Amino acid sequence: MALFEVPGWSVPTAPVSKLAQSTSKKRKRPAAQDADKMQSVEVNLDKLMQKLGSVGKNQEDKQGPKKKKKNRGKATEGLDTKVEHATSDKGKEKVSSFLSGSIKGSAAEQSAKGGSGLRKKTKQKKSLKPDGGKSEQRPPNVSLTVDEVSGLTSLQKGMKESLDGARFRWINELLYKSDSSEAVRMMKEDPAVFHDYHSGFRHQVQSWPSNPVSHYISQLSSYPQNTIIADLGCGDATLARGLSLKKLKVVSFDLISDGAYIVEADICSHVPLPGSEPSPSQMSEGEAQVVDVVVCALSLMGTNWPVCIREAWRVLKPGGELKIAEVASRFTDMDEFVSLINSVGFKIKAKDDHNSHFTLFEFKKVARTSRTDKEWSKVMSNGSILKPCEYKRR
């Protein structure tokens, strides 16, 4: 019975019985099985109660007075049995400790259901090696052979060699088919070209039965200690390094200086050493020269390479030696090549073509007369006697 009655109005009895019965029973702590089923999120009980209350109120406002009672019962019926024990201070401590202990790693559980991005990050973190994750992540069932020196796989090493070989051949073609001034411009813009070319060249000559530079190191080692040698187109100055122990004086020239052995110079334009041309209408070997031997080991490159021979004559002492080593396949006509060298002011002393890859020449400087620019232009235009050198693919 209601406490009082007003015509046209009625006050329903509050649903106290179920709540009272539920509070009278002792609540047990959730079992481990039930804990696994709970959603892994952090719960603030006070905020949860306030939120549920506000949600229930909003629903009642929308649904109207007829459904208020029914929804309120549903909202509180399930919640009462689960949360009432947590309303006390001890209950809050127990529930919060239980929840915080059972739901650690909730992000991992949510990612297992649908968070693929988080799952990938978690798995990647577990697979990291002790080096801080810098180790190569290899796919399963794939064995990779790693080169101990370079740290590259065999596949990567092969690809790198192919690319390096292609770059070497590209640079090689430019150097042989253009004027030396173009080579100077190219290497000024990108000094790495010089290093890349000579690195590729060293790789190529590894397959040769012998290296002409090694031949000259052995041959010149027997020369007197005061001998002055000019290495024109020295590359990485292997000759100077090899003869330094023999106390021979080697001056090395190439397009790029290394700051130690190599003097920067375009040998097909001008070699920065003393020496002169003959006086007009006089047979002479020039004067002021200091060089005893000039070596051109695989260095007659560019379309204007004959200028290098003229410069060699200018800087050599009277009777000085010119040693030339060239790839055998470059000669269109070997006799014409020898004739051109002789026309500059040399006399051939020896030729060695026993090697399958290169031919060795030895010339001696002789006296000659001066020439006009027109005469020199005709001699210097015969650079096509030597073809561009073509190296095999790696």
Side-chain angles (χ1 to χ4, degrees), residues 108-183:
E109 292 181 4
Q110 291 178 354
S111 65
K113 295 179 181 180
S116 58
L118 186 58
R119 187 192 314 126
K120 290 181 181 178
K121 292 182 181 179
T122 306
K123 289 186 177 180
Q124 184 179 3
K125 184 176 180 181
K126 292 182 179 179
S127 63
L128 292 179
K129 296 186 178 181
D131 60 357
K134 297 180 180 179
S135 303
E136 181 183 1
Q137 299 296 325
R138 300 178 182 174
N141 301 325
V142 176
S143 59
L144 299 176
T145 303
V146 180
D147 183 75
E148 296 181 355
V149 178
S150 63
L152 300 177
T153 66
S154 57
L155 177 60
Q156 290 171 333
K157 186 178 179 182
M159 293 176 66
K160 183 180 184 302
E161 288 181 354
S162 297
L163 291 173
D164 291 344
R167 178 169 170 79
F168 165 73
R169 290 190 299 275
W170 174 75
I171 298 171
N172 180 75
E173 184 176 4
L174 289 178
L175 294 179
Y176 277 102
K177 293 185 177 182
S178 60
D179 188 273
S180 62
S181 60
E182 179 64 20

Side-chain angles (χ1 to χ4, degrees), residues 269-300:
S269 177
H270 176 73
V271 176
L273 286 172
S276 68
E277 292 280 343
S279 300
S281 68
Q282 264 188 342
M283 184 72 71
S284 170
E285 293 186 55
E287 56 185 1
Q289 301 91 345
V290 296
V291 177
D292 297 295
V293 180
V294 168
V295 176
C296 295
L298 310 177
S299 60
L300 299 180

Side-chain angles (χ1 to χ4, degrees), residues 226 228 285 289-292 312-321 365:
N226 292 328
I228 298 177
E285 293 186 55
Q289 301 91 345
V290 296
V291 177
D292 297 295
W313 188 94
R314 183 184 65 81
V315 302
L316 274 172
K317 289 180 179 179
E321 299 178 20
K365 179 179 178 179

